[in-house]
Amino acid sequence: MPPPRQDFPAFPFAPYPIQSEFMSFLYSALSSGPRALALLESPTGTGKTLSIICSALQWLLDHRDAAPERANGSALAAAGGEDDDEPDWMRDFTPLPPKKGTSKKSETHPWRRQGTRKEGGSEKSGGIGENDGEEFLVDEYESDGEEGTRPHAAGKRAHCGGGAGGSSSSESDDEEEEEEATPKVYFTSRTHSQLSQFVRELKRTDFSGKLRTVCLGSRKSLCINMDVQKLGSASRINERCLELQKNKKSSKIKVEGDNKKGHRTKTSCRCPMLRNRSLQKQFRSEVSDHGALDIEDLAQIGRKIGTCPYYGARDMVRSADLVVLPYQSLLLKSARESLGLNLKNSVVIIDEAHNLADSLTSMYNSKVTSSQVSGYANKLFFTENGVGDLNHGQQHGEGSSITSFQALADFLRSLLYCNDDGRIIVARHKPGGHSEDAYIKFVMLCAEKTFSEVTDDAHAVIMAGGTLQPIEETRLRLFPGLLPSDIKFFSCNHIVPPESILPIAVTCGPSGKKFDFSHSSRSSPTMIEELGRFLCNIVTIVPEGIVMFFSSYDYEKQVYDAWMASGTFSKISKKKHVFREPRSSVDVEMILNKYKEAIQSCCSKGSGDTSVNGALLMAVVGGKISEGINFSDGMGRCVVMVGLPYPSPDDVELMETIKHIGNYSSTSSVAEDDESLSREDECKVEPGFGILRKSGKSGQEYYENLCMKAVNQCIGRAIRHVNDYAAMLLVDSRYSHTSSGRGFSCPVEKLPQWIKTRLTCGQNYGEVHRLLLQFFRTNKQIH
């Protein structure tokens, strides 16, 4: 194997040493394929995304450049291995390779390099451009549903937009068939905002113009049909989109050819954004001219042209070098088949991979609610009582017949999995006025089988994230067949100097009361009151913004209400404007903007010690703000983590996962003389803490890891660049323990290395106050 590459010319500035090490390691991992597997851990704010782009895409170009050399080497090796008895004229004869007309390096844009060919012997350009805005003609043929319901054969382009519009196979054959770019790089992350950030970073490099990039999104993000978009939820939009494609308008017209007469069917999709296929071609052409575009850019171009960007983007996958797409589109087998994604010999890069196993299993869950089991009865009731004319939103709502049938079909399909792969949970309707439906749900527990479908095909799989440890849990859940030595792992410290962060384990409050936010103690009035005293003190010395994380929305509300009643907030408000994380995602951006404006306003006034000096944001672990939000500079001078956010042991799905991971057996405590358990006993739900005690080390480790991964995600929001600085306050005496009374390991052992090495334990509040005062005075002078 050649030595790892050290130079990456596409990096837009001189990289830091850890960035160079990251890129070199990733390049080397890709070169070690096929079926290479690597995990790269780089703290948030260290330029991870840019490092991934510059190393992975450099490898892609180098790999393609070396392809002819590898082919020549193989040919020479084959020739050298011929039988010595073979005649000279046979050995010397080398058939000429077939000429290709696909290399057009003189063209300016990478999308123009693709080869095309016409089928069917026609001299005219095929299908997509010849109708010039008219509705297109197809043979009399009706396909079964959307084109994506069947796997696409490798090597044949799926005309997604055309298929949606009702084209036949013969017309698709007349279209240009694009050369498939191989190998590809697939980059996937959890949210559209993270994918948009990736595209922004890509635009900072030369690869934006050198390589063909396409960004895929959901119908909810890309649909420009306002009648469909206003339905709101993703399931409603998906359902209505497919309905419009299936309900096509058809009419027979006469056609004349060379001494032939006949009839053809004129078919058009009822969605106005897919009726005109020449506009789809125009969309692809305009996207090609712009280079790398994100979801919002694609939607904007689609609106301008008046054609569907969702299917337009899908149609560009085959010829793309880099495909940027959300988790669901890549990791779900049915989605890969629908989109026609070919992972064979390609590179798959999975960002934000710290919770990959849980994300993967949740994609395969299926659920049927009682209102969906009863859908037919409700429809019959409405019809018999003369309420049959439901409005458009109700016809295509969550409880519509198609959605309900799809939910049932998904659930029945789940029953094909092995018994050990998942569990079926039945939840009855809760008494006491709760509106939640009863339901029956399949919960997938086994992640390794579904993930192996990706790793078996890909040339290499790269998992990247800010915090990926513990690696052993990831190995056991995703690729248990591999030895630890088979997994390439990279980890680095942060680019910020050690004096720019101040992590403190805060064990007690100003009055000396020990902080204990365990489930049994956190709601006590004295604990909430002591937390209020602590906050009243630190708002006087922490400048600009403080982000305070609570374990749940319910607990945040409980604390907020108590502080409002006791007058604590009136004291806090003298130094900080107070904001709360909203439950609704649509209000998050508005609250964040107000929080930012409050901080900037205070800083611009140059206020003294007696006036407001910033803002406080009360947030929730696992909420809208704990992941993916940038709290750099004044937005997050201090992050306060209240307690250890362990998941609720009352969560039945979580406990089933823990039992699966810990090889737990609920019958282990049953007496030997019991011949058998009744069916009711087998299905009885055991209390969560009992399961945790009996689940073994691996189950308990998983439970701890869920908690500490959430902590790491929250406190990692504050440091975003080399000149940033922030304090991180872990408020709970358990952060200072060397081990837990229940046999759990020390929580701080699972903190990121760059935080753990700087962690200080404050034995009393006076020490914490002194450390904070000194930290902010020093950094104010430096910065």
Side-chain angles (χ1 to χ4, degrees):
M1 182 185 298
R5 181 164 183 150
Q6 301 294 334
D7 62 312
F8 296 92
F11 207 82
F13 48 83
Y16 293 103
I18 62 171
Q19 293 170 333
S20 295
E21 293 168 13
F22 183 103
M23 291 187 285
S24 182
F25 184 93
L26 177 52
Y27 190 98
S28 179
L30 295 177
S31 301
S32 67
R35 299 191 68 180
L37 181 64
L39 282 72
L40 288 90
E41 182 181 72
S42 183
T44 301
T46 55
K48 169 172 57 73
T49 301
L50 196 57
S51 299
I52 289 173
I53 290 170
C54 293
S55 53
L57 298 186
Q58 185 65 57
W59 177 89
L60 180 66
L61 291 181
D62 293 350
H63 183 79
R64 289 182 178 174
D65 290 343
E69 185 179 335
R70 290 195 302 270
N72 291 336
S74 300
L76 290 173
E82 293 290 345
D83 190 350
D84 289 339
D85 294 334
E86 188 175 41
D88 292 343
W89 66 270
M90 284 286 288
R91 284 199 302 268
D92 294 339
F93 173 72
T94 304
L96 292 174
K99 292 184 179 179
K100 291 186 177 180
T102 59
S103 178
K104 300 183 181 179
K105 295 185 179 179
S106 60
E107 297 191 16
T108 56
H109 200 276
W111 285 99
R112 309 300 186 197
R113 297 198 302 264
Q114 62 216 28
T116 62
R117 65 182 178 92
K118 303 180 183 72
E119 298 191 7
S122 172
E123 294 182 359
K124 294 191 296 183
S125 62
I128 209 164
E130 65 181 274
N131 296 306
D132 236 344
E134 297 179 4
E135 294 181 314
F136 50 90
L137 302 176
V138 298
D139 293 330
E140 193 166 8
Y141 173 80
E142 193 71 22
S143 62
D144 295 328
E146 189 188 14
E147 81 291 342
T149 55
R150 299 184 302 276
H152 296 298
K156 182 172 182 180
R157 182 169 78 98
H159 294 284
C160 301
S167 69
S168 72
S169 58
S170 65
E171 183 170 0
S172 293
D173 289 342
D174 287 342
E175 280 198 359
E176 296 177 348
E177 183 166 313
E178 298 168 341
E179 177 188 8
E180 180 165 19
T182 181
K184 297 182 192 296
V185 172
Y186 292 93
F187 178 89
T188 183
S189 194
R190 295 198 318 126
T191 66
H192 283 131
S193 62
Q194 290 163 345
L195 297 179
S196 295
Q197 180 191 352
F198 177 88
V199 174
R200 286 195 298 271
E201 294 293 295
L202 176 63
K203 289 178 180 179
R204 299 174 64 189
T205 72
D206 295 339
F207 293 123
S208 178
K210 288 181 180 178
L211 295 174
R212 297 162 288 189
T213 303
V214 64
C215 193
L216 300 181
S218 65
R219 285 183 175 89
K220 181 175 174 61
S221 299
L222 286 173
C223 178
I224 59 171
N225 184 335
M226 296 309 298
D227 288 336
V228 177
Q229 185 65 249
K230 69 182 181 183
L231 296 176
S233 73
S235 60
R236 293 182 181 185
I237 291 172
N238 289 340
E239 178 183 309
R240 185 58 179 155
C241 175
L242 297 178
E243 269 187 356
L244 287 173
Q245 295 174 51
K246 291 175 182 177
N247 298 334
K248 304 181 183 75
K249 291 193 302 182
S250 299
S251 59
K252 289 194 175 183
I253 61 171
K254 291 182 179 180
V255 293
E256 295 185 6
D258 298 334
N259 301 322
K260 293 181 180 179
K261 293 183 179 181
H263 291 81
R264 297 189 74 185
T265 303
K266 184 178 179 182
T267 305
S268 64
C269 177
R270 287 190 180 273
C271 179
M273 302 305 166
L274 279 171
R275 287 177 187 163
N276 192 330
R277 294 183 60 177
S278 63
L279 295 183
Q280 282 280 291
K281 184 177 182 180
Q282 182 183 343
F283 172 85
R284 294 195 295 270
S285 177
E286 186 156 340
V287 169
S288 302
D289 291 338
H290 280 83
L293 298 174
D294 62 17
I295 299 295
E296 289 74 19
D297 297 328
L298 294 175
Q300 185 176 356
I301 292 176
R303 290 189 192 96
K304 183 180 75 171
I305 297 175
T307 192
C308 177
Y310 173 76
Y311 281 106
R314 280 177 57 159
D315 216 23
M316 302 178 75
V317 169
R318 180 176 171 80
S319 57
D321 303 307
L322 171 63
V323 182
V324 183
L325 70 174
Y327 268 15
Q328 197 91 356
S329 300
L330 180 81
L331 299 176
L332 197 61
K333 184 178 181 180
S334 59
R336 290 197 302 272
E337 292 176 347
S338 173
L339 294 168
L341 303 184
N342 179 15
L343 303 186
K344 199 71 175 176
N345 300 323
S346 291
V347 172
V348 174
I349 300 175
I350 303 170
D351 196 20
E352 299 295 328
H354 53 278
N355 283 327
L356 177 60
D358 291 326
S359 299
L360 194 59
T361 53
S362 66
M363 292 178 194
Y364 287 84
N365 292 350
S366 56
K367 178 179 178 180
V368 181
T369 65
S370 60
S371 60
Q372 291 170 329
V373 173
S374 61
Y376 176 78
N378 292 338
K379 177 74 173 178
L380 189 64
F381 172 80
F382 287 131
T383 304
E384 290 179 348
N385 288 273
V387 209
D389 294 330
L390 301 177
N391 63 45
H392 186 76
Q394 289 174 314
Q395 286 177 343
H396 303 98
E398 300 290 355
S400 71
S401 57
I402 296 179
T403 301
S404 300
F405 183 80
Q406 185 62 52
L408 177 61
D410 290 342
F411 179 79
L412 293 176
R413 195 178 296 115
S414 301
L415 301 181
L416 297 174
Y417 292 109
C418 295
N419 187 52
D420 292 338
D421 291 348
R423 294 288 183 273
I424 293 177
I425 295 174
V426 179
R428 299 172 181 173
H429 183 77
K430 295 181 180 179
H434 292 282
S435 59
E436 185 179 356
D437 273 348
Y439 63 85
I440 181 169
K441 182 175 184 179
F442 171 82
V443 179
M444 174 63 81
L445 302 176
C446 181
E448 67 265 23
K449 293 182 181 178
T450 51
F451 193 58
S452 66
E453 297 168 355
V454 175
T455 56
D456 288 348
D457 276 350
H459 169 83
V461 174
I462 306 297
M463 297 168 56
T467 306
L468 295 181
Q469 300 193 58
I471 299 303
E472 183 62 9
E473 180 203 313
T474 303
R475 184 186 73 82
L476 289 174
R477 295 196 66 194
L478 292 177
F479 20 83
L482 293 180
L483 297 173
S485 58
D486 295 330
I487 304 169
K488 301 171 180 63
F489 179 66
F490 173 88
S491 182
C492 64
N493 284 321
H494 212 293
I495 56 175
V496 297
E499 58 271 16
S500 294
I501 62 169
L502 178 64
I504 307 176
V506 182
T507 60
C508 57
S511 68
K513 184 171 180 59
K514 183 179 177 183
F515 279 134
D516 178 11
F517 293 97
S518 59
H519 186 74
S520 59
S521 304
R522 67 185 183 187
S523 297
S524 72
T526 55
M527 192 61 59
I528 295 175
E529 184 182 352
E530 188 72 2
L531 181 64
R533 290 195 198 98
F534 170 73
L535 191 59
C536 287
N537 278 272
I538 68 168
V539 295
T540 63
I541 53 176
V542 176
E544 302 175 284
I546 298 177
V547 186
M548 191 172 195
F549 285 100
F550 295 86
S551 57
S552 68
Y553 284 104
D554 289 341
Y555 187 57
E556 184 271 344
K557 183 179 185 304
Q558 183 181 0
V559 171
Y560 179 85
D561 291 343
W563 286 351
M564 285 294 290
S566 65
T568 299
F569 264 128
S570 63
K571 299 176 183 177
I572 295 173
S573 299
K574 292 178 181 178
K575 299 300 291 185
K576 303 284 184 189
H577 296 291
V578 179
F579 300 91
R580 300 172 68 194
E581 176 179 334
R583 286 180 180 257
S584 173
S585 57
V586 297
D587 297 326
V588 170
E589 188 172 354
M590 177 191 68
I591 294 296
L592 287 175
N593 286 336
K594 288 184 176 180
Y595 170 70
K596 184 176 182 178
E597 289 168 4
I599 294 170
Q600 292 174 340
S601 174
C602 295
C603 294
S604 62
K605 292 176 182 176
S607 55
D609 293 336
T610 58
S611 61
V612 176
N613 65 359
L616 167 70
L617 177 60
M618 299 174 69
V620 175
V621 176
K624 318 294 187 304
I625 287 174
S626 62
E627 287 194 44
I629 303 296
N630 185 343
F631 287 111
S632 64
D633 301 319
M635 289 277 283
R637 285 298 177 217
C638 180
V639 177
V640 181
M641 171 57 64
V642 180
L644 283 157
Y646 285 105
S648 170
D650 297 330
D651 186 333
V652 178
E653 294 179 28
L654 172 62
M655 291 301 112
E656 289 300 320
T657 302
I658 289 174
K659 286 161 66 174
H660 177 79
I661 294 172
N663 296 318
Y664 169 93
S665 173
S666 61
T667 62
S668 59
S669 60
V670 178
E672 293 293 333
D673 55 353
D674 284 351
E675 294 183 3
S676 62
L677 290 171
S678 68
R679 189 173 300 273
E680 184 177 349
D681 288 336
E682 286 180 357
C683 299
K684 191 176 295 182
V685 177
E686 188 173 351
F689 285 119
I691 292 173
L692 285 170
R693 281 193 295 268
K694 292 187 266 184
S695 64
K697 183 179 179 182
S698 55
Q700 293 176 2
E701 280 281 334
Y702 171 71
Y703 188 63
E704 291 179 33
N705 294 339
L706 285 176
C707 169
M708 291 310 297
K709 284 179 181 178
V711 170
N712 295 337
Q713 284 298 306
C714 293
I715 62 179
R717 296 295 96 202
I719 300 292
R720 307 298 293 188
H721 57 84
V722 67
N723 294 318
D724 210 351
Y725 64 96
M728 303 157 188
L729 307 181
L730 307 176
V731 185
D732 199 300
S733 59
R734 291 173 293 175
Y735 283 109
S736 65
H737 293 175
T738 55
S739 62
S740 171
R742 289 173 292 178
F744 288 1
S745 59
C746 176
V748 297
E749 292 175 2
K750 300 181 186 296
L751 290 171
Q753 188 67 25
W754 62 281
I755 294 178
K756 184 166 56 175
T757 55
R758 293 286 297 166
L759 182 68
T760 301
C761 181
Q763 298 298 334
N764 54 68
Y765 175 74
E767 184 180 357
V768 173
H769 193 97
R770 179 182 58 80
L771 288 171
L772 285 171
L773 199 61
Q774 181 180 351
F775 174 77
F776 286 110
R777 279 179 179 171
T778 302
N779 278 281
K780 186 177 181 180
Q781 293 171 359
I782 296 174
H783 299 94

